[in-house]
Amino acid sequence: MKHPVVVGLQYGDEGKGKITDSLAKQAEWVIRFNGGSNAGHTLWLNGQKLVTHSVPSGVLYSHVKNFIGAGCVIHPLALKKELEELAGAGAKLGSDRLLIDSRAHLTLPIHLALDGAREAGASGIGTTKKGIGPTYTSKTDRSGIRVAQLDAPDLEERIRFLLEVFNPILKAAGQTESTLKENLEVIRVAQQLIGPHVSREATPFYDIAKKSRCVLEGAQGILLDIDHGTYPYVTSSNTIPAFASIGTPFPSSRIGRILGVAKAYLTRVGQGPMPTELHDETGQRIREKGHEFGATTGRPRRTGWLDLDELRLSVRLSDCSGIVLTKSDILSGEAKVAARIDGKLVEFEGWSSVTEGEALHPKMETFVQAIEKHVGIPVVALGTGADRAAMFWRRPIDDFWSDDVST
Ligand code: IMP
C-alpha cells in the first residue's frame, strides 16, 4: 500500500486542511512532518470554525490517530491552547489519538525572543514570530531541546547551554536576555502536556505503512521551502514532499500519490517577491471575500493573480500528480481574471459560478485547462465553497491508497 501526501503549492494558506480532512475520513493516521505553530489549518466542526496549528488535520474524526513527526517543532504553550480549544469543541485528544515523536524539537521562550528581535530589526522577513527559525537553528547547531529530553536528568544543563549560545545575540540586539526560570516554566508545562503523548519508536511507520491507511500532511507551501523556495523569504523547514519521509520518518517507498493544493489566485504573508500582486481594489475585494487574513497572526494577506510560472515550478519540485484548486468560488463574479504565463499577465473571462449544472462553468473550464496546459498535470478537483463538502471532483480518484499514482 502507498500513501498520499498533501502539500501546498504556493506560499501556504492554500486550504490544505480541508483536503487532508476529506482524506482523513478514510484514513487511520494523519501525520505532520514539518513546521510548528506557524501553520494555521482551518477546519469546520458542526458549523464552528476551528484553527489547528501543530496538531494534524485528522483531529475531527474519532477513528483517526494523529502523529506529529520528528521534523516538526512544538511550542508547548501554543499546543496547550490548541488542545484546550479542540477539547472545548468536542475533539478531546487522548494519548491514543495524538502521538508526538520524541525527536521533535521544542520552541522555548528564548526562541520566541530571538524571532521577535530579528523581526524588529532591518533583517526581518515578516515571520509569524512563533520562534520557528530559531528553533530549527538550535536544532541544527545541536543546542536544541528535544521532546525526548523532557525527562532527562541533564535537562537543566542543556537549557543553560542553549541560553549560553543564544543570549549573546539578544544582548547584542539590545534586548532582554532570556532567563533559565522562564524557559523552565515552559518546560514544566511541556512535561505535563506532552509526556503522555510521546512516541519513542525509532521507525514508527515501518510496519503501520504496510497495512493502515496514512495521510501525510505538509505545512506551509512549496515556495516557502528552506532550500527550494524564495530564500531568504522562506520558512525554516523543508516543505517539499520528499521531507515527508525524513520528517516522520516514513518509509520512502511507501509514499504514493502527491496532491498539490493551490488557490485559484495567490496570497502571501510576509515579505518576498510576488510579481502578480494586486495593489488595487480588485486585490482588496478578493482579500475581503476570501477572508485572506492570517489564521495564525491575523495579518492581511497580500493578494494577487495566480502565477502559473511559479505553479509549474512547484509542481516540478513537489512531483505532484494532481492539483486541487481551492477557492475558485471567491473569483466568481469577477468580469475578468488573470494569470501569469511565461512572464506575462494573461486575461481570462470570468465565471459567474464555479459549476453550471453537473459540469464546470465553461469559463471556469477554460481557466482550468489553461492551468493544466502550462503546468503539465491535471486539476483533479476544485474547492467550491467553505463547507467541508463543497468540492467538485473533475477526475474522481477511486483509491488514494492505490499503488497506481498516474493521477
Ligand atoms: P516563519 O515560518 O514564522 O519563520 O515565517 C517565515 C515565512 O513563512 C513568513 O513569510 C511567513 O509569513 C511564512 N509562513 C510561515 N508559516 C506560514 C503559513 O502557515 N501560512 C502562510 N505563510 C506562512
Side-chain angles (χ1 to χ4, degrees), residues 89-105:
K92 194 166 170 16
L93 293 177
S95 51
D96 54 332
R97 291 204 45 223
L98 177 66
L99 284 157
I100 302 175
D101 196 295
S102 63
R103 288 155 295 194
H105 277 247

Side-chain angles (χ1 to χ4, degrees), residues 358-372:
E358 297 289 291
L360 280 186
H361 188 289
K363 307 286 186 219
M364 178 87 247
E365 180 66 34
T366 306
F367 189 65
V368 166
Q369 284 182 16
I371 297 173
E372 293 180 327

Side-chain angles (χ1 to χ4, degrees), residues 11-14 16 37-41 115 119 125-134 219-221 224 232-237 268-271 296-297 299 301:
Y11 296 99
D13 310 318
E14 299 92 348
K16 298 176 289 295
S37 60
N38 49 348
H41 294 163
D115 201 358
E119 284 301 305
I125 62 147
T127 71
T128 60
K129 296 196 199 160
K130 299 290 176 192
I132 302 297
Q220 291 85 45
L224 290 175
Y233 306 104
V234 291
T235 191
S236 296
S237 66
R268 180 165 199 168
V269 273
Q271 297 167 33
T296 297
T297 59
R299 289 182 289 178
R301 295 176 184 145

Side-chain angles (χ1 to χ4, degrees), residues 1-3 253-254 256-257 399-406:
M1 190 193 300
K2 294 201 177 193
H3 307 265
S253 67
R254 298 253 168 218
R257 181 172 276 117
D399 183 2
F400 282 94
W401 289 268
S402 148
D403 287 355
D404 167 22
V405 290
S406 53

Side-chain angles (χ1 to χ4, degrees), residues 219-297:
Q220 291 85 45
I222 298 297
L223 299 169
L224 290 175
D225 185 280
I226 182 75
D227 290 301
H228 309 288
T230 54
Y231 192 87
Y233 306 104
V234 291
T235 191
S236 296
S237 66
N238 287 105
T239 57
I240 66 170
F243 197 70
S245 182
I246 298 169
T248 305
F250 199 86
S252 24
S253 67
R254 298 253 168 218
I255 304 267
R257 181 172 276 117
I258 295 164
L259 273 182
V261 186
K263 253 192 292 221
Y265 49 95
L266 194 61
T267 60
R268 180 165 199 168
V269 273
Q271 297 167 33
M274 188 171 168
T276 60
E277 185 164 5
L278 287 161
H279 298 281
D280 57 5
E281 67 274 13
T282 307
Q284 182 63 20
R285 192 166 57 245
I286 295 172
R287 181 177 306 116
E288 299 284 336
K289 198 172 165 197
H291 305 290
E292 298 297 354
F293 298 89
T296 297
T297 59

